[in-house]
Structure formats: C-alpha cells, structure tokens
Amino acid sequence: MVATDGSQIPPDHLEVAYSSGQVTLHYGTQEWPLLGSQALLLALRGGAPQAA
C-alpha cells in the first residue's frame, strides 16, 4: 500500500510553503515501512513562485 498527503500554508506577501509526506506499507512481508516527508518554500517574485 502506498499513500501520500500534503498541505499548503497560505502565502504571505513574499513566500508560500508546501509540505508532503509519504508512507509505503508492505503487507504480508517482513519489510519495514518506508516513511518520507518533504517541505518546499517558494519565494514569490514578480507574481510567479520560484524555489527559494
């Protein structure tokens, strides 16, 4: 089973933040779950988001 989730923090005048997380579960095996997360901060320049 693979699942993902994400969220967005509303922007202020200069930046916006996104966050996502992932989980992979291996049912019927002895494998450990795989967990991950990533955050992204974008700077708003000239009205278009760019990676900070």
Side-chain angles (χ1 to χ4, degrees), residues 1-31:
M1 172 190 283
V2 176
T4 187
D5 186 25
S7 63
Q8 174 184 350
I9 298 172
D12 65 10
H13 296 291
L14 301 175
E15 57 195 27
V16 61
Y18 295 95
S19 177
S20 67
Q22 307 84 34
V23 176
T24 303
L25 302 175
H26 307 276
Y27 287 106
T29 71
Q30 297 296 317
E31 293 182 64

Side-chain angles (χ1 to χ4, degrees), residues 14-16 18 39-45 48-52:
L14 301 175
E15 57 195 27
V16 61
Y18 295 95
L40 178 63
L41 178 63
L42 299 175
L44 301 176
R45 296 190 181 115
Q50 299 178 4

